[in-house]
Amino acid sequence: MAVMAVMEGWEMKEEFYQEEEHRPGEFIAEAGGIPLIDLGGGRAAAAEVRAACREWGFFQVVNHGVAAELVEGLHAAAREFFALGAAEKARIRRDAVNPWGYYEAEHTKNVRDWKEVLDFMVPSDLTVPNLDASSEIWTNQWPDFPPQLRDVGRRYGEAVEELAFTLLETIALSLGLPEKRLNGYFEGGSPSSFIRLNHYPACPASDLALGVGRHKDAGALTVLFQDDVGGLDVKRKSDGEWVRVKPIPGSFIVNVGDIIQVWSNDEYESAEHRVTANGERERFSIPFFFNPDMAAMIEPLPELLRDPPADPRYLPYNWGSFFQTRRSSNFAKLPVDNIQIHHFKPPTPQT
């Protein structure tokens, strides 16, 4: 017998059930060890960022330069949007043709997530080349209500993108690279960074479902605001245990994605993470996914194949094709796992 959630249109079905080994445990310790880095010190933060990237793949930042009123404004607008009725939100529902807009049936690791989202690009539209050499236009879809969402979303995106470039340059320094070595990958005619507004309704079976299943982020960096409810869990590299990232007022959570793992030839590894469902309270979060231009080719950086000279651990791949394939996999349960960077590992030599 299905259990009805309190939110309109949400019903606990088997498509939300995680396999038993991936269901959340009864208790997860808070990850107090995740570094908190003050960005006010300028280049001095590079050493702390290096340690955090090597040990965790995650860190939190303060003195980041993003105005509190922007964060609060977008958070408030998200709450107003997700409070709308299901039919009203569905008016801007995204699909496989245009992946920007509202969606409530995303899959991670082929299991449906207990969440609903609103995705929009920074900037407002994008020309995407298809594999058959034609092109299509991806455009943002904005709701009529709340009326301020479009403007505050744009201003928030500009501010967090500036922060993301600061973080990118700090990571470059931490790898022993020139400060702006990585910036060119994000400059071009087809940017692909985007913001996601996440809403996780209270879940009637939080022991069976996850807000977002275990995964790694495919892009370069993710800059996340989470509210005081919390629920973000990171797999600790030292022992493989899941630990909770404690919300810190005024901070952003940052994690390196697969692209930085590839650029660094595995010196920095993206960390697996998930979101647990809360049985009593709804939760909101706002990740900014900092992604390269769609035309960018991603491969280990030659200057990091060093001491002693190392073979590249990944073959080159086009980010745009990779991104399109990953986005398409979000719309249905597939018979196989979606594309991952390990698919670009060189073949093992035969002996």
Side-chain angles (χ1 to χ4, degrees):
M1 180 177 178
V3 179
M4 295 300 297
V6 295
M7 184 172 151
E8 176 193 1
W10 285 73
E11 182 180 352
M12 179 53 67
K13 302 176 181 178
E14 287 192 12
E15 62 189 7
F16 291 106
Y17 292 1
Q18 295 286 326
E19 295 179 7
E20 188 169 353
E21 65 267 30
H22 299 305
R23 292 174 185 172
E26 294 182 1
F27 176 78
I28 302 172
E30 286 188 336
I34 289 182
L36 179 64
I37 298 175
D38 187 337
L39 294 181
R43 294 191 176 200
E48 294 179 81
V49 166
R50 178 174 177 81
C53 289
R54 290 173 64 91
E55 295 171 15
W56 284 95
F58 269 79
F59 53 95
Q60 298 190 72
V61 295
V62 293
N63 287 330
H64 43 66
V66 179
E69 56 265 28
L70 275 179
V71 180
E72 293 162 2
L74 188 55
H75 185 200
R79 296 181 70 92
E80 290 186 68
F81 171 74
F82 288 118
L84 296 172
E88 184 67 19
K89 288 179 288 192
R91 292 177 60 186
I92 56 168
R93 195 173 191 268
R94 79 187 196 200
D95 55 32
V97 176
N98 183 9
W100 308 117
Y102 171 76
Y103 201 58
E104 80 297 358
E106 192 165 78
H107 289 67
T108 302
K109 301 291 186 183
N110 289 323
V111 180
R112 187 174 170 185
D113 297 328
W114 186 264
K115 70 175 182 185
E116 55 180 346
V117 306
L118 176 63
D119 289 347
F120 57 92
M121 287 177 294
V122 180
S124 62
D125 57 44
L126 176 62
T127 302
V128 180
N130 286 330
L131 299 180
D132 62 2
S134 63
S135 64
E136 60 188 31
I137 303 294
W138 288 352
T139 58
N140 287 333
Q141 300 187 81
W142 297 102
D144 294 330
F145 184 86
Q148 75 275 20
L149 176 56
R150 182 170 188 165
D151 178 64
V152 71
R154 175 188 59 79
R155 291 187 292 115
Y156 179 90
E158 291 172 352
V160 178
E161 185 175 53
E162 184 176 344
L163 168 60
F165 271 108
T166 298
L167 293 165
L168 185 74
E169 291 166 4
T170 305
I171 286 172
L173 291 172
S174 78
L175 287 166
L177 300 169
E179 184 177 40
K180 297 187 182 298
R181 170 64 176 87
L182 305 174
N183 292 33
Y185 289 95
F186 298 81
E187 298 166 354
S190 298
S192 62
S193 296
F194 69 99
I195 289 171
R196 166 166 291 178
L197 307 181
N198 282 319
H199 175 224
Y200 303 92
C203 181
S206 56
D207 58 329
L208 300 177
L210 286 169
V212 182
R214 71 201 191 283
H215 68 286
K216 297 184 176 185
D217 291 347
L221 287 172
T222 303
V223 182
L224 173 74
F225 159 80
Q226 68 167 342
D227 66 13
D228 62 352
V229 175
L232 173 64
D233 301 331
V234 178
K235 181 172 280 190
R236 190 162 50 197
K237 293 183 181 182
S238 61
D239 58 11
E241 292 294 323
W242 288 105
V243 289
R244 173 107 353 127
V245 181
K246 182 179 180 179
I248 297 177
S251 73
F252 284 110
I253 300 164
V254 180
N255 64 281
V256 299
D258 288 343
I259 286 176
I260 286 179
Q261 179 170 327
V262 172
W263 280 337
S264 71
N265 208 37
D266 287 345
E267 184 169 356
Y268 293 171
E269 182 182 354
S270 60
E272 194 169 41
H273 53 286
R274 69 183 186 186
V275 175
T276 56
N278 192 299
E280 299 177 357
R281 298 178 63 188
E282 63 181 347
R283 174 181 183 262
F284 296 86
S285 70
I286 306 173
F288 172 81
F289 297 100
F290 190 45
N291 296 331
D293 188 85
M294 295 284 277
M297 294 298 297
I298 308 302
E299 61 185 314
L301 299 174
E303 55 265 60
L304 296 183
L305 305 178
R306 61 191 183 194
D307 299 331
D311 292 329
R313 297 185 179 182
Y314 301 92
L315 300 172
Y317 63 93
N318 171 254
W319 166 247
S321 297
F322 187 98
F323 184 60
Q324 286 176 275
T325 302
R326 283 288 288 262
R327 297 289 289 182
S328 297
S329 71
N330 290 334
F331 291 93
K333 182 178 176 64
L334 303 176
V336 295
D337 196 7
N338 59 7
I339 192 168
Q340 307 286 342
I341 56 171
H342 67 72
H343 294 130
F344 295 91
K345 290 278 191 179
T348 303
Q350 298 294 319
T351 58

